[in-house]
Amino acid sequence: MYGGGGCLEGRGGQWARVVVAWVSRAHLLVTLVLILAACMLLSTTSHLPLLGIDGTLRRYQNLRSLGMGREAKGAHTQVVPGCPSTPPHLRGKVEVEEAVSVGEAEARHAQLVRPGGFWSPQHCVARWSLALIVPYRDRQHQVGAFLNHMHPFLQRQQLNYSIYFIEQEGMDLFNRARLLNVGFLEARKEGPWDCYAFHDVDMLPENDFHLYHCSAQPRHLAVATSNNNYRSSHNLPYNTYFGGACLMTEGHIRKVNGWSNIYWGWGAEDDDMWRRIAFADMAVWRYPPHYARYKMIKHKSQVVNQNRYKMLERNTGRFIIDGLNSLNYTVKATTRYPLYTHILADIGSSNENRDSNPAVGSSKSRRS
């Protein structure tokens, strides 16, 4: 009897081991399937957290390619493929036409662009959405050349973009950085956008392989410019140059509290931004200079901020209280032109920081 019981006990143990083995295999199979699915998901979205855009790209993948912002959010949707990682219609070197009026630019490009300067590819979903912000005053003769150049440039890169011109009201000294802050806040109301390009109207890229795509770190775009004989920023007297054109995500901009508001007159607001980026433990990325070449269109000189370097030396963490959180402005008018959105803004007076900037009010010193 005892022998029979042992036999039954042995068979029961074998069946138990078989069941455990099959359960283990099934569990392993399910685990492998889950891991494979996770890997496929991460392969397409893992760059988003690095850029700090929190899935913005995914939110727009169900939108018909009719432009960004609120105007597109109620549009009819249909399934379209994503645009390729390398845009297929890039040309490389492109010529810059300087003598183009706004009317000529509209005749060439307005048929493809929605009022306000909105555009996106019609046959694929753009990988990135971009707000191009241009600080502006007394440069009407350069607007046509800028629009004529930048619209086809960005379209060949298959970006979902819009162009905003932010004009300073009044005759006070020009404050480029305040206008950039205004442009970011106003453009964001029609986004959010994956990234923001802060762009001077007189700087035009000469190679469309220089992609205006978002990056994990802030990018300086205008690396080699014609006014510096195309010497790269690394070969200039100082390599912390961040002017002309740059590209940042909202995460980058929020991390440094935007641009400084205190620089009235030409100079140093871009150097201030470089320091903010360093203080925030970020790095500036640049494309190689043979791609990141820019033609500067000639223009009238601007009043120089004579005290800019002293103000810059005092930037040892001031960005915490000087930037987006201290900006005061009033939008006087918003106009949708065929190729761009124009925002006229009252950004305050240079008298606000006259004590810290003796150069305010001076018109003797000028620089191109």
Side-chain angles (χ1 to χ4, degrees):
M1 182 168 59
Y2 289 106
C7 181
L8 291 173
E9 208 173 276
R11 291 177 181 175
Q14 289 177 354
W15 278 109
R17 285 193 293 273
V18 169
V19 171
V20 169
W22 278 104
V23 169
S24 298
R25 290 175 184 174
H27 182 268
L28 178 60
L29 181 60
V30 171
T31 302
L32 290 174
V33 170
L34 292 175
I35 291 174
L36 180 60
C39 289
M40 292 176 66
L41 179 63
L42 289 173
S43 67
T44 59
T45 62
S46 59
H47 63 288
L48 297 175
L50 287 175
L51 298 173
I53 60 181
D54 298 328
T56 302
L57 180 61
R58 289 193 294 273
R59 291 201 298 274
Y60 292 105
Q61 293 203 348
N62 292 324
L63 286 179
R64 177 86 165 100
S65 298
L66 293 174
M68 272 295 299
R70 291 178 176 174
E71 299 177 30
K73 289 178 181 178
H76 176 68
T77 62
Q78 70 177 45
V79 177
V80 292
C83 294
S85 57
T86 301
H89 303 299
L90 300 179
R91 299 177 181 175
K93 293 182 180 180
V94 290
E95 295 295 326
V96 173
E97 292 186 66
E98 295 188 35
V100 180
S101 68
V102 173
E104 290 172 325
E106 290 177 356
R108 297 178 186 181
H109 308 295
Q111 186 175 1
L112 298 177
V113 179
R114 297 178 64 218
F118 294 89
W119 185 91
S120 63
Q122 294 296 305
H123 304 295
C124 63
V125 176
R127 286 177 170 263
W128 302 109
S129 62
L130 171 76
L132 186 66
I133 297 168
V134 184
Y136 168 82
R137 191 174 66 178
D138 299 330
R139 296 287 184 87
Q140 185 64 28
H141 65 288
Q142 295 179 335
V143 173
F146 184 88
L147 297 171
N148 180 69
H149 190 83
M150 294 306 300
H151 275 292
F153 178 90
L154 298 173
Q155 288 168 16
R156 289 194 299 272
Q157 297 189 3
Q158 295 184 318
L159 292 166
N160 193 338
Y161 72 87
S162 187
I163 297 178
Y164 297 86
F165 275 74
I166 317 300
E167 183 174 6
Q168 179 176 335
E169 184 187 53
M171 299 302 296
D172 207 337
L173 291 175
F174 191 64
N175 192 319
R176 176 177 180 269
R178 285 199 185 201
L179 293 177
L180 295 179
N181 281 337
V182 172
F184 164 70
L185 293 174
E186 291 302 307
R188 191 190 181 283
K189 294 176 182 178
E190 299 184 327
W193 306 82
D194 295 336
C195 41
Y196 298 77
F198 301 104
H199 216 293
D200 287 351
V201 68
D202 56 17
M203 285 286 185
L204 298 179
E206 299 183 65
N207 193 317
D208 60 11
F209 289 162
H210 186 36
L211 299 177
Y212 279 40
H213 291 184
C214 305
S215 300
Q217 298 292 328
R219 272 180 55 204
H220 180 219
L221 297 173
V223 175
T225 60
S226 61
N227 62 309
N228 286 314
N229 296 318
Y230 295 106
R231 288 184 298 166
S232 73
S233 302
H234 296 292
N235 295 323
L236 293 176
Y238 64 105
N239 65 4
T240 59
Y241 176 60
F242 199 64
C246 61
L247 188 71
M248 304 171 74
T249 67
E250 180 172 349
H252 302 150
I253 298 165
R254 296 288 187 186
K255 196 170 184 180
V256 299
N257 193 24
W259 300 74
S260 172
N261 294 313
I262 69 173
Y263 293 92
W264 296 87
W266 184 90
E269 80 288 335
D270 52 334
D271 302 291
D272 188 285
M273 175 55 79
W274 181 286
R275 293 195 176 193
R276 289 169 180 248
I277 291 170
F279 288 144
D281 294 323
M282 294 187 291
V284 173
W285 286 4
R286 290 181 172 127
Y287 270 27
H290 61 278
Y291 290 123
R293 288 169 58 95
Y294 282 72
K295 174 74 173 180
M296 174 182 273
I297 302 176
K298 294 181 180 179
H299 58 273
K300 187 167 63 175
S301 301
Q302 298 182 33
V303 179
V304 173
N305 180 344
Q306 296 283 9
N307 205 39
R308 61 192 183 280
Y309 294 121
K310 290 182 180 179
M311 297 167 66
L312 186 63
E313 288 175 0
R314 293 198 289 269
N315 180 5
T316 55
R318 184 183 61 232
F319 73 93
I320 297 174
I321 58 172
D322 170 30
L324 294 174
N325 62 2
S326 63
L327 176 68
N328 292 309
Y329 71 96
T330 302
V331 173
K332 294 295 187 177
T334 299
T335 308
R336 306 288 188 186
Y337 289 104
L339 296 180
Y340 67 100
T341 295
H342 176 267
I343 297 174
L344 179 65
D346 177 0
I347 59 172
S349 169
S350 57
N351 290 326
E352 297 172 12
N353 59 303
R354 185 177 294 274
D355 293 339
S356 64
N357 183 7
V360 169
S362 171
S363 59
K364 295 181 181 179
S365 299
R366 295 180 178 271
R367 178 157 181 166
S368 59

